Structures are given as structure tokens and as C-alpha cells.
Amino acid sequence: MLEAAGNRKVSDVHLRIGELTFISEEQLRFAIRLLSVGTAAEGCDVRIDPVSPEFECVSCGHISTADFSSPAFACGKCGADVRVLRGKEFSVDKVVLYD
Amino acid sequence: MLFHLAADVGVDLFSRNRELALENRALLDAHSVRGVEFMGGIGSGKTALIEALSKDRRCAAICGDVSGDDDAKRLRKAGVEAVSVNTGKECHLDAHLVGHALESLDLEGVGVLFVENVGNLVCPADFELGCHKRAVVVSVTEGDDMIRKHPVLFGLSDVAVVNKVDLAGVMGVDVSVLEKDYASLKSSALIRTSARTGEGLQALSGALGL
Ligand SMILES: Nc1nc2c(ncn2[C@@H]2O[C@H](COP(=O)(O)OP(=O)(O)O)[C@@H](O)[C@H]2O)c(=O)[nH]1
Ligand SMILES: [Mg+2]
Ligand SMILES: [Zn+2]
Ligand SMILES: [Zn+2]
């Protein structure tokens, strides 16, 4: 990715992180700051889009949400098990370079 | 300052692990092997439960530990074809490590493959390994607040176990507190086991589809 950028510097990086992952935003920012020293990404702005969890009931199909601090992994309507639709993402969505 | 949009890259950083997990699953399915992963606290009894569940059936096991091969040795003694995976500095197994471990196992005639993850109630949840069921084990010796403290790992697991119930009295732990916390998360019941006395092993076996 950085090779394709030639010798232009990275202005910002957009990440998407699901709230059901165990990736700590604070620690990730710290790691990027340390690892990017001396690279095209040094000093870049790291934008993080958190993705809140969304579940689908395996029995009745009801879609529900929950937050990380008080998650419920059962269907709010019928009580059956759910499968995770959103909340486990960890992706680099966009890299913006200086012209 | 002018900006130039480089790319909508959309690189999913977990996707490679997920692909490898699917490959592991396909390999298990091709050999009609049921894959069961045990996550859980250090010393909660993951290895002891695998030992107990592997009686009366032909089993293989992959034991993830930071170092050493104590668990694999114990399981071999119990008649299980076991290999160790030392994660060294990592606190969890991933699908890549499990894929390599599978290369060194002969799955012909094996009914169940157990994968024991590194003792850890946090990051193993991020890395699917390709097993059919994921179970998480805590035991009464860790107190009664383990489920409350780790809701996401319990939420994302298919089966949850509280082990060493034979010690609940000595530890002064009321197992119903753990059950109540689990009931607020999931629809299934928390399974009480004792690898020592054999209590609950049949229920666990059923929940894992063995
Ligand atoms: N009393 C009792 N001890 C147990 C039980 N399960 C495991 N243990 C003991 O607890 C210790 C840790 O068990 P082990 O299987 O190595 O835990 P692991 O680290 O989760 O694999 C060992 O000394 C086991 O014999 C149980 O149900 N009851
Ligand atoms: Mg063990
Ligand atoms: Zn439902
Ligand atoms: Zn970790």
C-alpha cells in the first residue's frame, strides 16, 4: 500500500473496529504512532470508526443491538441464540495521501 | 494543502484468519471429525475436561500453550493423539497455527478433535480456528465473578462450563451467581461439571454434540 503511494506522505488512515473485538483503540493508536516513525505514515491522523454490535436471531430472525458494556447475546424477542452480523470488524477502509 | 484520495482500500485484517479457519473446517469435515475448541481461564480444567471427554472415543488434540508440552503429554497418556503448539509470545491460537498442527495429525478414524486454546479469557475470541463448537471454561476456584468480567467471550462462545463444582463448598462460591450472570447473556444453560467426580460430563458432551 505504502509502495503504491510513492514518496508521498500519508495524511490519514481510516480504520473500522467492531466493538466485539478485543482491539483497544488507545493501544492501537500508540502502536501506530511508534511503528510509523521514519515511514510515510509518520504523524498521520488515525480515524477510527467504531462499529456497534448487531445480532440476528437464529430462530425468529429478529435483529437486535447491544453495547460492549452490557451485551446480551440472546434474542430480545424470543430468547433464542443469535449470530453476530456486525461488531467483529477490523479493517483499513481508506488511506489519504498528501498530494 | 491538497489531498489526494489514495484508495478505498477496504482491507479486512481478520479475513485471512477467517479464510484459514474455513480451510481447517473443510479438512475436519472431509474426515468426518467433530472439532471442539476449549477456551478458558488458566488452570480452570480445560485439559482435565478433554481427558475426561476423550474416554470411549477416538480423539486427537491440539494443545496451545505459551511453552512446554505438559498438556499434550497428559492427553497422550489418556490415549489421545496430541500435538502441542507453543505460541511463544502470543496469548492465543490462530487458524494458521492450528492449520499447521493439523498437518502433523493423522485424522483417519478420529471422531473428535479437541483444540485447547491458551489460558486466556480475552483475545482468543477474535480468532476463529475452524472448530464446530467453541466452549469456554471457568472454574469455582477463580471466584464467582468471571462471567460478569468477561461477557463478550462468554457471549461469543457456543457452550459455557463452570468446572470444579466439587470444590464449590471449600471455595465458598455460590455457583448460582455464575448461572445468573450467564442467564443474562445467553439463552442456553451454564453447564456445571467436575472433571474429578464426573458430574455434568454427559450434559457437556451433549451440548458439544459429541
Ligand atoms: N477438584 C477438581 N480439580 C480439578 C478439576 N478439573 C481440573 N482440576 C485440577 O485443576 C488443575 C488444573 O487443571 P488443568 O486441566 O491442567 O487446567 P487447564 O490449565 O485449564 O488445562 C489440575 O491439578 C487438575 O487436576 C475438577 O473438576 N475438580
Ligand atoms: Mg491445559
Ligand atoms: Zn428470536
Ligand atoms: Zn492477548
Side-chain angles (χ1 to χ4, degrees):
Chain A
M1 210 186 305
L2 286 177
E3 269 166 35
N7 44 23
R8 288 176 297 184
K9 286 203 67 180
V10 176
S11 121
D12 45 289
V13 175
H14 298 205
L15 305 176
R16 204 145 39 95
I17 303 182
E19 286 173 357
L20 294 175
T21 67
F22 289 89
I23 297 158
S24 145
E25 189 177 315
E26 191 60 35
Q27 289 176 331
L28 183 64
R29 284 181 190 284
F30 180 62
I32 292 173
R33 202 165 73 226
L34 291 184
L35 291 171
S36 63
V37 171
T39 74
E42 181 168 356
C44 73
D45 209 13
V46 178
R47 294 240 305 253
I48 297 180
D49 261 339
V51 183
S52 48
E54 195 172 276
F55 305 103
E56 181 185 42
C57 174
V58 295
S59 171
C60 76
H62 176 67
I63 309 277
S64 54
T65 55
D67 69 74
F68 190 86
S69 56
S70 61
F73 293 81
C75 174
K77 224 170 175 183
C78 76
D81 280 340
V82 292
R83 92 192 159 79
V84 177
L85 292 180
R86 280 150 50 93
K88 297 206 73 184
E89 298 76 3
F90 182 26
S91 61
V92 185
D93 280 354
K94 207 182 268 187
V95 177
V96 182
L97 303 178
Y98 286 104
D99 214 0
Chain B
M1 183 83 54
L2 278 171
F3 290 111
H4 170 75
L5 182 62
D8 280 318
V9 279
V11 184
D12 181 345
L13 298 165
F14 279 140
S15 67
R16 188 67 193 130
N17 185 73
R18 224 170 280 131
E19 282 162 24
L20 291 170
L22 288 175
E23 284 175 23
N24 293 344
R25 171 73 70 90
L27 183 71
L28 295 179
D29 286 341
H31 290 84
S32 307
V33 176
R34 179 121 182 121
V36 172
E37 176 188 353
F38 277 104
M39 301 180 284
I42 297 171
S44 58
K46 300 179 294 300
T47 311
L49 288 170
I50 296 171
E51 284 172 315
L53 291 171
S54 59
K55 286 192 184 117
D56 318 317
R57 45 173 86 82
R58 194 137 156 241
C59 299
I62 295 171
C63 306
D65 258 315
V66 169
S67 74
D69 67 345
D70 299 80
D71 288 2
K73 272 191 193 135
R74 266 168 69 189
L75 291 173
R76 269 182 229 126
K77 239 189 210 159
V80 177
E81 185 192 350
V83 290
S84 300
V85 176
N86 284 144
T87 55
K89 290 171 182 158
E90 280 298 339
C91 42
H92 55 265
L93 288 173
D94 58 41
H96 176 244
L97 287 170
V98 168
H100 281 305
L102 282 169
E103 286 166 7
S104 57
L105 284 173
D106 178 13
L107 294 178
E108 230 26 71
V110 167
V112 184
L113 170 80
F114 292 104
V115 179
E116 179 175 343
N117 215 318
V118 181
N120 177 354
L121 288 166
V122 187
C123 25
D126 281 346
F127 298 87
E128 282 150 43
L129 306 178
C131 288
H132 298 89
K133 289 276 182 192
R134 301 192 94 178
V136 53
V137 184
V138 288
S139 75
V140 298
T141 53
E142 293 116 57
D144 66 8
D145 54 8
M146 279 298 123
I147 296 179
R148 222 176 309 140
K149 283 181 175 168
H150 302 276
V152 175
L153 185 71
F154 279 86
L156 293 173
S157 301
D158 303 306
V159 173
V161 179
V162 53
N163 188 38
K164 307 192 192 178
V165 290
D166 56 297
L167 299 178
V170 204
M171 294 307 297
V173 164
D174 179 358
V175 179
S176 69
V177 172
L178 288 150
E179 283 171 336
K180 224 162 71 213
D181 288 342
Y182 190 65
S184 72
L185 278 180
K186 295 279 273 191
S187 60
S188 52
L190 179 66
I191 299 174
R192 299 179 175 222
T193 63
S194 166
R196 188 61 51 87
T197 68
E199 181 180 344
L201 291 177
Q202 214 151 24
L204 175 57
S205 186
L208 296 173
L210 302 184

